[in-house]
Amino acid sequence: MDKALEGLRIVDLTMGWAGPLATRNLADMGAQVIKVESCERFDWWRSWEATEAWIADNGAEKSPQYLSVNRNKLDITLDLEHPRGRELLLRLVATADALVENYSGGVLPKLRLDYPHLLEANPQLVMVSMPAFGSTGPWSEFRAYGSTVEHSSGLPHLVGSPDQPPTMQHVAFGDAVGGLNGTAAILTALWHKQQTGQGQFVDLSQVECLLPLAAQGVLHQSVHGTAPERHGNAHPEHAPYGVYPCQGDDAWVVIQVRTDNQWKSIQRLIPQLADFGDLASRLQRRQELDAVVARWTEQRSSQEAMHRLQAENITAAKLNSGEDLLHEPQLKDRQYLQWLERDYVGLQPNASAPFRTGPAPIPIESPAPTLGQHNQVVLGDMLKLGDAEIAELAEQGIIGTKPRLPKTN
C-alpha cells in the first residue's frame, strides 16, 4: 500500500501523549520517525516515576500509554546534555525533513538546540514546537499536561451541570486535541516546504488548540455579557436527550431525540411518555421525562436498548468500556484493531489510524520500539559510526538500552 509520507524523515523529540500522537500519525502515513530519548530523560509516558526495581523489571517497556502512541517509529537514545550527544543529534537533523518537540519553552534554548541552532545544521528544516503555552510570552516556560491545558483554555467552565464546579472532559483532553493539531501543523509546513523549498518554525500553543472548542462560550459572553448556562448531558433545545442507566454494572446508553418523528417513535416504544406534550412542555418537565426513560432503559441491557431505539430511527448508542471495545462488532467489521507481538508484553491490540487510503486500514508495520532499540540502525547505518565508536558511546552513557536513575551529588 502506498503511503503519502514515504521517504520523509522526522526527528521526534516529543514525550507524553500530545507530541507522540502527532508524530505517530506521520509514521502511520509512511514517514520515517526517529524518536530520540535518553537513558535518564526517557519519555515520561513510560512511567511517571522510575525506581531500581521498576528498571530491573523492564517497566519502561510495559506502559500501555507509551505503546499506543509510538508504533511504527524507530528509537534511539542520546544524552543531549553531553556535547557528543548534541553533536550526533545535529548530524541526524542534517538528514531530516522535520523535527518535532513538546518541551516547555526554555529547554531547547538551554541546550543550544532551538531553531536558530538547528538551522545551522539544516537550513531547510521544518520545526514544530508544541509547548503548552507557546514558545514566547510570560507563560512559555511553564510546564503543563493535558489537564492543565484544558483548565487554562476555560473549557471546563462550559462543561458539567449548573450545580457542579468546572468539569473536565478527560483527564488529559488537551493532549489529544494538541496532538491532532500538531499533525495538521506539521503536514501544512511540509506541504509549504514541498512547494517552496523553504523550511519554517511553527510555534504551536496547545492551549490555543482548545479555544475553538470553547467558541460558543466566548460568543455567548461577548453578546450577552454572561457565561452560558451549563446543561450537563442534556441539551437546551431537545428532550429526551442524555445518558441513561441500563442493566448491569456501570452500563449506559446515549439517547438523542431531535425531531418530531423521533419523539413519536419513542412514545410508541415507551407508552408512559404519552403523558408528555410538546417540546416546550418536555423541556420544562425534563427531570420527570428522564426518569420515565430511565425506568425503561434500566430493564434492558445497553445493547438491547440501543438496538430497540435504532430500529425506530432514534439516535442511540451504548457506552463501551475499554474491554467492550475489543469485541465491538462495528470495530471488528472495519478491522479497527491490529494485533502485534511486542517484547515484554506479548500480543497487543493497536488501534488503526482513523484515516484510510482504501477499504482496509493502513497496516501497522511495527509495535512501539524499546528504549534505544535502533541505536545501531540509526547511528551505525545512517550516520556511519563504526562499532568501536558506538561501543564507546555506550560506555560513556551517552547511549544505552535501559533507563538509568539520575546521579545525585
Side-chain angles (χ1 to χ4, degrees), residues 56-385:
D57 190 45
N58 295 305
E61 308 303 344
K62 299 177 181 180
S63 163
Q65 297 92 335
Y66 168 82
L67 298 178
S68 70
V69 291
N70 287 290
R71 59 157 183 240
N72 283 336
K73 300 179 184 180
L74 305 179
D75 189 286
I76 66 170
T77 49
L78 286 175
D79 181 356
L80 300 182
E81 297 176 80
H82 191 286
R84 187 72 172 119
R86 178 181 178 277
E87 174 202 344
L88 289 170
L89 178 71
L90 291 174
R91 285 179 58 180
L92 182 61
V93 167
T95 72
D97 297 281
L99 178 144
V100 189
E101 63 91 14
N102 66 338
Y103 296 117
S104 58
V107 173
L108 290 185
K110 290 178 182 177
L111 296 172
R112 294 183 300 117
L113 288 171
D114 50 348
Y115 193 55
H117 286 95
L118 296 176
L119 278 181
E120 295 176 7
N122 185 342
Q124 294 180 311
L125 182 71
V126 166
M127 179 176 179
V128 176
S129 288
M130 299 176 57
F133 306 111
S135 299
T136 61
W139 285 22
S140 62
E141 296 192 18
F142 289 175
R143 298 182 181 183
Y145 303 101
S147 54
T148 329
V149 169
E150 183 178 351
H151 276 297
S152 301
S153 73
L155 195 58
H157 289 271
L158 304 176
V159 180
S161 301
D163 57 342
Q164 293 179 320
T167 305
M168 295 179 62
Q169 298 194 65
H170 186 277
V171 68
F173 187 55
D175 280 328
V177 175
L180 295 175
N181 278 268
T183 299
I186 301 161
L187 290 175
T188 303
L190 287 171
W191 181 86
H192 175 267
K193 179 179 179 179
Q194 184 185 58
Q195 303 302 308
T196 67
Q198 299 174 351
Q200 61 179 300
F201 174 73
V202 180
D203 185 6
L204 181 75
S205 166
Q206 289 189 42
V207 71
E208 290 185 10
C209 297
L210 281 171
L211 294 181
L213 302 180
Q216 77 279 12
V218 175
L219 289 172
H220 191 284
Q221 179 73 39
S222 300
V223 173
H224 300 286
T226 59
E229 182 182 356
R230 295 183 294 152
H231 296 277
N233 288 320
H235 194 286
E237 299 174 1
H238 302 294
Y241 191 108
V243 181
Y244 300 87
C246 297
Q247 280 182 349
D249 181 30
D250 199 24
W252 305 84
V253 65
V254 175
I255 302 174
Q256 298 178 349
V257 174
R258 291 174 173 266
T259 67
D260 287 340
N261 285 338
Q262 287 181 325
W263 171 239
K264 293 173 184 177
S265 295
I266 200 171
Q267 280 183 305
R268 289 193 297 269
L269 199 61
I270 308 176
Q272 294 85 347
L273 292 177
D275 294 338
F276 295 86
D278 61 11
L279 177 58
S281 173
R282 300 200 304 271
L283 292 173
Q284 188 175 10
R285 300 171 61 192
R286 188 194 299 274
Q287 289 186 341
E288 297 175 59
L289 179 69
D290 285 341
V292 172
V293 176
R295 283 196 291 272
W296 183 85
T297 58
E298 284 173 336
Q299 298 172 29
R300 293 160 177 81
S301 70
S302 57
Q303 186 90 354
E304 179 192 352
M306 175 182 71
H307 286 154
R308 293 279 299 275
L309 291 157
Q310 288 180 350
E312 298 294 332
N313 293 319
I314 298 165
T315 304
K318 63 171 288 194
L319 296 187
N320 288 299
S321 67
E323 184 177 356
D324 289 340
L325 292 176
L326 297 177
H327 312 288
E328 169 57 43
Q330 299 289 344
L331 298 183
K332 282 188 173 183
D333 187 62
R334 290 181 59 77
Q335 301 173 294
Y336 179 68
L337 293 176
Q338 300 183 47
W339 293 80
L340 280 75
E341 190 73 28
R342 169 61 156 70
D343 290 344
Y344 303 105
V345 292
L347 197 63
Q348 294 290 306
N350 291 263
S352 295
F355 38 82
R356 299 187 177 198
T357 57
I362 297 174
I364 299 173
E365 305 293 345
S366 59
T370 57
L371 187 68
Q373 178 179 344
H374 302 99
N375 284 342
Q376 180 62 48
V377 172
V378 175
L379 300 178
D381 299 347
M382 296 181 189
L383 299 187
K384 306 303 181 184
L385 271 61

